[in-house]
Amino acid sequence: KQWYQRRVRAMRLKLDKLLSLIVVLACVITFFYSMSGYMLESSSPHSSQLINRDNVALVHNHVVAEHHVQDARINALVERNPVPHPTDSPTIHSEAAPTKPPKPRVPGYKIVGEGLLVPEGKEKSFLFIKTHKCGTSTMVNMLYLYGIRRRLNFVTQPWQRGLDVEMPLLPPRSGEEYNFQIAHATFKPERQHELLPKFKTFYTTIIRSPIKRFVSAFAYYGIDRSNNRAEDGTLLSLEATIQKWFDQNQTVFAPTNETCSIGPVVNGLSKDLGFQEYLDRPGTLQSKINDFIEDLAQEMDFVLLTDFFDESLVLLKEQMGWEFQDIFFMKRFYTVDRSRKDSTLSQKTIELIYKFNTVDVQLYNFFYQTFKMKVKAYGVDLLKQKTAEFRQKRIDFENSCFNKPEEDDKSQTFNKEWTLTDFGQEEKSCTLLHMRDILLDFLISELQVTKDFTSPDAEEMMKIWSGKHSPMSPEDKELVTSIQKAYDDHGVEMNVR
């Protein structure tokens, strides 16, 4: 009997060891199977379109050419010299390609064009970080019109032009939630996630070539005007003025190993997009820039480029499922003192601007490359075709709306000499697209507070929120109600004849 019990215990011990071995083998097999699946997925043609943290870490080492060879997928899709010369017009080169089989679906993504992957479920909520000196005054009226037509709820401060998301906000319409943001605001991801949850909101912004943006800001903020005289009073060239300003401010603006200057002129893009918070962290300046760009790439679903303005709008339209009429805009502003802004800069001055704007340069270089990747994924020839179609439709619409003088007075910043045609007087969106954006900030505040003039508490709410601001004029009220009614009745197709 004792012998039998010993045999049973021995068999149980062997069985336990065998079961443990089976469990270990199963775990090992599962691990290798998962890894092989991951590797197969990451080597698929779609993975090159997804901006993951590995891609980010590789791409924003762009300043060292040999780093590019570490990621063949990126090398195959983007050009080696991402920052255009300030006087160049960027072009997209077409490449002949064989007919491709249909792209398989990727869970959580839809395919736009030939193969651009776009997150699903973000079509009804939209965040646009409006950056300074990047052509946003041209673009923002288009977005206001989009939101007013659909009675969207803007993240905004009451009757204010700018936006600080940490300050008290105008509430959305009663019983609704925020689903639109387009005001000038510093990007603060954690707070933005509370207001417009990332999982259901399309996050986007716009950036511009660092040279062009710097020159524009240099003039706009008065730096050019206050520094463009030599000691004897003679007028300095733009190039000499820039060099003089940098020479006088070397200790202020020159980047160090740990920090750099950011402000409305120097590294202004990075300031708008939240780089200040990274400057307060420990580490080298380059590590802070790397973290900033990496995190921003995770936040932004799409970054438009002013240098590819029309192409960017078409790609935005395609990803959001909009119509061409949703991206019509009016070029409302001219560049004052155009001869000075268009003056040629030497390579020495360009390098000087690059040096002092190192964060903006690296930021632009990275998103220039990701833009190229999206163009390739969507289809170069297809984008050319869609952009040409859009340009024709837009200019036809603009010409239908306005009578334009043969020679506009380009000493004025605003093309106020345009007058409405008969069609333009009937089609109210023509007027709204041509309005100053500060007026539209006020219009959307009142629409939101009064629930499009339908709230029984509208008068009381206006007293609470509008402060000293007067309510809309009867003309403005008729303008927005006509636009909303036309959209309710006919959608955007009323905008073309």
Side-chain angles (χ1 to χ4, degrees):
K1 183 176 180 180
Q2 291 177 350
W3 175 86
Y4 176 76
Q5 290 176 342
R6 286 197 298 273
R7 292 288 294 173
V8 169
R9 284 198 295 272
M11 290 179 66
R12 284 178 177 174
L13 183 60
K14 290 180 179 180
L15 184 60
D16 289 342
K17 290 180 178 180
L18 179 60
L19 289 174
S20 298
L21 181 61
I22 291 172
V23 170
V24 170
L25 287 173
C27 291
V28 171
I29 291 170
T30 301
F31 172 76
F32 280 106
Y33 179 79
S34 299
M35 287 300 295
S36 63
Y38 170 80
M39 295 303 291
L40 284 172
E41 181 181 350
S42 65
S43 64
S44 72
H46 303 295
S47 63
S48 62
Q49 315 309 330
L50 300 176
I51 309 302
N52 57 40
R53 299 181 78 86
D54 293 333
N55 284 348
V56 173
L58 289 172
V59 173
H60 63 69
N61 284 316
H62 60 87
V63 289
V64 183
E66 51 266 35
H67 282 195
H68 286 294
V69 301
Q70 298 180 45
D71 194 336
R73 292 171 297 172
I74 293 176
N75 285 339
L77 295 174
V78 300
E79 297 179 0
R80 292 287 185 133
N81 185 24
V83 177
H85 188 277
T87 59
D88 288 346
S89 296
T91 55
I92 302 175
H93 300 288
S94 174
E95 297 177 3
T99 303
K100 299 177 182 178
K103 300 279 186 178
R105 280 189 54 80
V106 177
Y109 290 83
K110 61 184 179 181
I111 296 175
V112 174
E114 295 176 2
L116 176 60
L117 296 179
V118 180
E120 291 182 323
K122 296 188 174 188
E123 297 83 4
K124 295 183 179 180
S125 188
F126 183 81
L127 177 142
F128 174 72
I129 297 298
K130 185 183 178 187
T131 49
H132 290 83
K133 311 316 299 172
C134 292
T136 51
S137 293
T138 296
M139 182 176 174
V140 75
N141 281 36
M142 170 197 94
L143 296 173
Y144 272 121
L145 176 59
Y146 182 91
I148 288 172
R149 278 172 170 162
R150 294 160 175 81
R151 300 175 176 83
L152 300 182
N153 289 292
F154 290 71
V155 177
T156 186
Q157 252 112 32
W159 280 263
Q160 297 292 320
R161 188 174 190 183
L163 171 65
D164 183 346
V165 292
E166 302 290 355
M167 299 296 289
L169 301 171
L170 190 73
R173 290 167 176 80
S174 178
E176 300 181 17
E177 60 184 10
Y178 293 118
N179 46 22
F180 216 60
Q181 178 180 321
I182 60 174
H184 273 307
T186 300
F187 184 51
K188 298 177 180 178
E190 291 185 4
R191 178 60 174 146
Q192 296 290 181
H193 296 168
E194 296 173 0
L195 298 168
L196 295 165
K198 184 76 175 72
F199 75 93
K200 64 177 181 179
T201 303
F202 195 85
Y203 277 40
T204 185
T205 187
I206 186 169
I207 62 176
R208 187 180 188 182
S209 166
I211 299 294
K212 294 179 179 179
R213 194 235 166 244
F214 173 83
V215 170
S216 178
F218 193 75
Y220 179 80
Y221 292 106
I223 310 300
D224 183 11
R225 186 170 56 254
S226 59
N227 290 271
N228 63 7
R229 296 288 174 177
E231 292 183 1
D232 61 2
T234 57
L235 181 66
L236 296 173
S237 67
L238 174 62
E239 180 165 71
T241 305
I242 291 173
Q243 290 183 353
K244 171 188 171 183
W245 188 64
F246 279 136
D247 288 343
Q248 292 175 342
N249 295 280
Q250 279 281 346
T251 57
V252 177
F253 296 125
T256 68
N257 186 53
E258 295 182 354
T259 190
C260 67
S261 176
I262 63 170
V265 179
V266 175
N267 290 311
L269 281 175
S270 303
K271 177 180 182 294
D272 286 340
L273 295 173
F275 184 63
Q276 178 66 58
E277 187 270 331
Y278 291 81
L279 276 179
D280 299 332
R281 298 181 181 182
T284 64
L285 175 61
Q286 189 57 53
S287 68
K288 297 170 186 177
I289 295 173
N290 292 349
D291 289 344
F292 169 59
I293 296 175
E294 184 175 350
D295 291 344
L296 194 61
Q298 297 297 310
E299 293 291 341
M300 292 296 161
D301 294 295
F302 179 51
V303 175
L304 296 88
L305 301 183
T306 308
D307 313 277
F308 293 90
F309 193 72
D310 290 351
E311 292 87 350
S312 292
L313 289 181
V314 171
L315 282 176
L316 177 65
K317 160 198 170 298
E318 294 291 284
Q319 292 175 87
M320 292 297 294
W322 294 352
E323 302 293 334
F324 276 123
Q325 291 84 352
D326 290 321
I327 57 172
F328 283 170
F329 63 88
M330 302 293 179
K331 194 168 179 59
R332 301 183 302 115
F333 292 97
Y334 291 117
T335 301
V336 180
D337 199 8
R338 182 177 295 273
S339 61
R340 186 170 181 81
K341 284 198 171 187
D342 285 350
S343 61
T344 302
L345 301 178
S346 68
Q347 188 61 34
K348 177 183 176 182
T349 302
I350 291 171
E351 292 299 332
L352 196 62
I353 295 172
Y354 284 168
K355 172 186 174 182
F356 286 95
N357 290 272
T358 181
V359 191
D360 277 7
V361 169
Q362 295 187 56
L363 175 75
Y364 184 85
N365 283 356
F366 173 77
F367 284 107
Y368 182 96
Q369 294 188 48
T370 59
F371 183 85
K372 289 286 190 178
M373 292 170 66
K374 288 182 180 289
V375 170
K376 296 278 187 177
Y378 178 79
V380 173
D381 291 330
L382 179 59
L383 182 59
K384 283 185 175 182
Q385 173 190 336
K386 293 279 188 179
T387 302
E389 182 181 358
F390 163 63
R391 284 173 175 154
Q392 189 60 56
K393 286 178 178 290
R394 191 202 72 79
I395 196 64
D396 287 347
F397 176 72
E398 184 175 283
N399 291 336
S400 296
C401 287
F402 294 100
N403 299 304
K404 304 177 185 177
E406 291 187 6
E407 293 188 7
D408 287 348
D409 179 7
K410 296 188 178 181
S411 65
Q412 301 294 323
T413 60
F414 189 67
N415 47 24
K416 59 184 179 181
E417 300 303 321
W418 291 13
T419 58
L420 289 169
T421 62
D422 292 341
F423 171 78
Q425 292 178 14
E426 180 181 350
E427 177 48 62
K428 301 302 182 182
S429 62
C430 297
T431 299
L432 191 141
L433 286 171
H434 197 247
M435 290 176 69
R436 302 298 295 263
D437 51 354
I438 188 171
L439 300 176
L440 296 175
D441 293 326
F442 295 167
L443 293 189
I444 59 136
S445 291
E446 185 166 346
L447 287 172
Q448 210 151 295
V449 161
T450 64
K451 202 171 184 177
D452 308 287
F453 315 113
T454 65
S455 171
D457 303 322
E459 186 174 345
E460 180 181 349
M461 293 293 288
M462 283 290 290
K463 290 179 181 178
I464 295 173
W465 288 103
S466 67
K468 297 180 180 179
H469 295 281
S470 302
M472 284 187 208
S473 66
E475 293 79 13
D476 287 342
K477 186 173 181 179
E478 194 274 333
L479 171 70
V480 295
T481 53
S482 295
I483 287 172
Q484 290 177 334
K485 185 178 186 305
Y487 180 76
D488 292 342
D489 292 343
H490 306 284
V492 295
E493 291 305 318
M494 277 293 288
N495 289 345
V496 291
R497 59 178 184 179

